[in-house]
Amino acid sequence: MTQRGSAPFDPLAAVTLPALDTPLAMIMAERIAQSGPITFAEWMDACLYDPEHGYYRRGRPTVGRDGDFLTSPEVHPLFGASVAHVISELWSGEPLTVVEVGPGSGAMAESILRHIHATAADLAAELSYALVEPDPSAAEQTRARLSHAHDARLLQFYSDITEIPSADLVVANELLDALPVHRLVARAGAWREIYVDYSRALGFRDCELHVSDASLLDPLMGVEASERQIAEVSPVRAEIVEALARAVCDGGLLLLFDYGYERARLYASWRRDGTLMTFRKHVPGDDPYVSPGETDITCHVDINQVREAADAAGLTALPTRSQAEWLHDLGAAVLPAVADAGADKSRYLAARRAAETLADPAGLGRVAVMAFVRGDTPPLSGWRGHA
Ligand SMILES: C[S@@+](CC[C@H](N)C(=O)[O-])C[C@H]1O[C@@H](n2cnc3c(N)ncnc32)[C@H](O)[C@@H]1O
């Protein structure tokens, strides 16, 4: 007689996704078999940005409810409206240019533009909005999405940050935490680099070798690492921040939202495994070798590195805020009481719920809001107290 219903309940079975043997896995296996181990930065770059098979180049949703993880602009238009408020504070009545880098689905651009059209028609008429989207099919989708939100003549698309115009605001949400990192591991008081190796028997795996470039160790000077501690370092982030900072015009602002920590906290000896995470279908993981090209890989940002790069381009840092603090100071974290909500109560309740999500100190509210100005800007309410 067969027993029915006796298997113990395994809640993990519901949240573990099967690994995919992806086209990129086969390409990378071949490449490593031919030329030997590659740095983790090369691996992550291929996984996210391979022109044909990279996670951000497949022409499918990555962020949002149909994608793999939720970003602030995808939660609710309230986030974009908050950035729109910053734009209105920067506006002096002259034509104004905003550059958004890595717009994803275009959700932030759409909510910024809709908010400005709804609340400041005179500003909308003066606002050029430029988007940097290297993927041509994503750029086309975003162009279509924004076609009803703004005058097409005031929308520009660029495929590379080296082409961007001088701007009053350069803004990016979760750009830097999606850039490739090198992974270093502390061994007997020195750093070794983690490369990616492959064998048919063991698949993709970590392999520790020499540090590929001595400058990778610069941010780790003075770090008292614990044995086998992992540290992620991303020189390309500094290059990108510097390029974006150079585009900021006098009186303008560079505004970057990213998960990150100050260097001392990022490389603290108790953070033994680093910050690398993967996401597929809203399931977080920690194995970057599962389903390459079908999975997001992300690492927290070194806030000091961002500050140094902005400083090298002549910008001055405003105090780094958490997203929760920033939304509070803007007045977007707590909505007015329901009695003031007007007729549409369900929209009000959705916005109130979104405000809680965006300012949740255990979730999106802990995103770092990093802001840098060139010269004098008008007082900005997200940074009350900044002269
Ligand atoms: C985590 S997603 C965030 C998307 C969107 N900003 C959001 O918040 O929903 C990171 C985005 O940065 C883009 N990206 C990465 N490097 C870039 C670069 N050099 N120039 C422009 N976009 C880039 C990726 O293609 C991807 O769309």
Side-chain angles (χ1 to χ4, degrees), residues 18 65 173 185 212 249 278 382:
R65 290 177 217 283
N173 189 65
V185 57
S212 59
C249 69
T278 64

PDB file of all heavy atoms in Angstrom, residues 18 65 173 185 212 249 278 382:
ATOM      1  N   PRO A  18      15.275  26.220 -10.016  1.00  0.00           N
ATOM      2  CA  PRO A  18      16.257  25.335 -10.646  1.00  0.00           C
ATOM      3  C   PRO A  18      17.283  26.153 -11.430  1.00  0.00           C
ATOM      4  O   PRO A  18      16.942  27.181 -12.017  1.00  0.00           O
ATOM      5  CB  PRO A  18      15.399  24.480 -11.588  1.00  0.00           C
ATOM      6  CG  PRO A  18      14.152  25.261 -11.802  1.00  0.00           C
ATOM      7  CD  PRO A  18      13.941  26.104 -10.589  1.00  0.00           C
ATOM      8  N   ARG A  65       7.621  44.328 -11.141  1.00  0.00           N
ATOM      9  CA  ARG A  65       6.923  43.114 -10.706  1.00  0.00           C
ATOM     10  C   ARG A  65       7.052  41.991 -11.727  1.00  0.00           C
ATOM     11  O   ARG A  65       7.052  40.816 -11.372  1.00  0.00           O
ATOM     12  CB  ARG A  65       5.458  43.433 -10.412  1.00  0.00           C
ATOM     13  CG  ARG A  65       5.350  44.291  -9.166  1.00  0.00           C
ATOM     14  CD  ARG A  65       3.971  44.739  -8.789  1.00  0.00           C
ATOM     15  NE  ARG A  65       4.017  46.103  -8.265  1.00  0.00           N
ATOM     16  CZ  ARG A  65       4.426  46.436  -7.051  1.00  0.00           C
ATOM     17  NH1 ARG A  65       4.799  45.508  -6.199  1.00  0.00           N
ATOM     18  NH2 ARG A  65       4.477  47.688  -6.657  1.00  0.00           N
ATOM     19  N   ASN A 173      19.380  55.880 -10.608  1.00  0.00           N
ATOM     20  CA  ASN A 173      18.933  55.012  -9.515  1.00  0.00           C
ATOM     21  C   ASN A 173      19.481  53.606  -9.735  1.00  0.00           C
ATOM     22  O   ASN A 173      19.222  52.992 -10.780  1.00  0.00           O
ATOM     23  CB  ASN A 173      17.397  54.964  -9.464  1.00  0.00           C
ATOM     24  CG  ASN A 173      16.921  54.250  -8.215  1.00  0.00           C
ATOM     25  OD1 ASN A 173      17.132  54.725  -7.100  1.00  0.00           O
ATOM     26  ND2 ASN A 173      16.322  53.077  -8.378  1.00  0.00           N
ATOM     27  N   VAL A 185      40.103  38.333  -1.610  1.00  0.00           N
ATOM     28  CA  VAL A 185      39.904  37.539  -0.398  1.00  0.00           C
ATOM     29  C   VAL A 185      41.171  37.639   0.457  1.00  0.00           C
ATOM     30  O   VAL A 185      42.289  37.588  -0.070  1.00  0.00           O
ATOM     31  CB  VAL A 185      39.537  36.071  -0.734  1.00  0.00           C
ATOM     32  CG1 VAL A 185      40.589  35.399  -1.596  1.00  0.00           C
ATOM     33  CG2 VAL A 185      39.257  35.256   0.515  1.00  0.00           C
ATOM     34  N   SER A 212      44.986  41.001  -9.943  1.00  0.00           N
ATOM     35  CA  SER A 212      45.213  41.299 -11.365  1.00  0.00           C
ATOM     36  C   SER A 212      45.776  42.698 -11.597  1.00  0.00           C
ATOM     37  O   SER A 212      46.430  42.947 -12.602  1.00  0.00           O
ATOM     38  CB  SER A 212      43.912  41.124 -12.153  1.00  0.00           C
ATOM     39  OG  SER A 212      42.922  41.992 -11.638  1.00  0.00           O
ATOM     40  N   CYS A 249      26.682  71.023 -14.662  1.00  0.00           N
ATOM     41  CA  CYS A 249      27.030  72.420 -14.930  1.00  0.00           C
ATOM     42  C   CYS A 249      27.089  73.215 -13.616  1.00  0.00           C
ATOM     43  O   CYS A 249      26.699  72.712 -12.556  1.00  0.00           O
ATOM     44  CB  CYS A 249      26.034  73.044 -15.900  1.00  0.00           C
ATOM     45  SG  CYS A 249      24.413  73.269 -15.178  1.00  0.00           S
ATOM     46  N   THR A 278      22.408  37.903  -5.658  1.00  0.00           N
ATOM     47  CA  THR A 278      21.787  37.677  -6.963  1.00  0.00           C
ATOM     48  C   THR A 278      20.272  37.749  -6.791  1.00  0.00           C
ATOM     49  O   THR A 278      19.759  37.552  -5.679  1.00  0.00           O
ATOM     50  CB  THR A 278      22.141  36.285  -7.520  1.00  0.00           C
ATOM     51  OG1 THR A 278      21.582  35.298  -6.662  1.00  0.00           O
ATOM     52  CG2 THR A 278      23.642  36.093  -7.622  1.00  0.00           C
ATOM     53  N   GLY A 382      15.604  68.304   0.421  1.00  0.00           N
ATOM     54  CA  GLY A 382      16.034  66.952   0.821  1.00  0.00           C
ATOM     55  C   GLY A 382      17.295  66.965   1.669  1.00  0.00           C
ATOM     56  O   GLY A 382      17.679  65.935   2.231  1.00  0.00           O
TER      57      GLY A 382
END
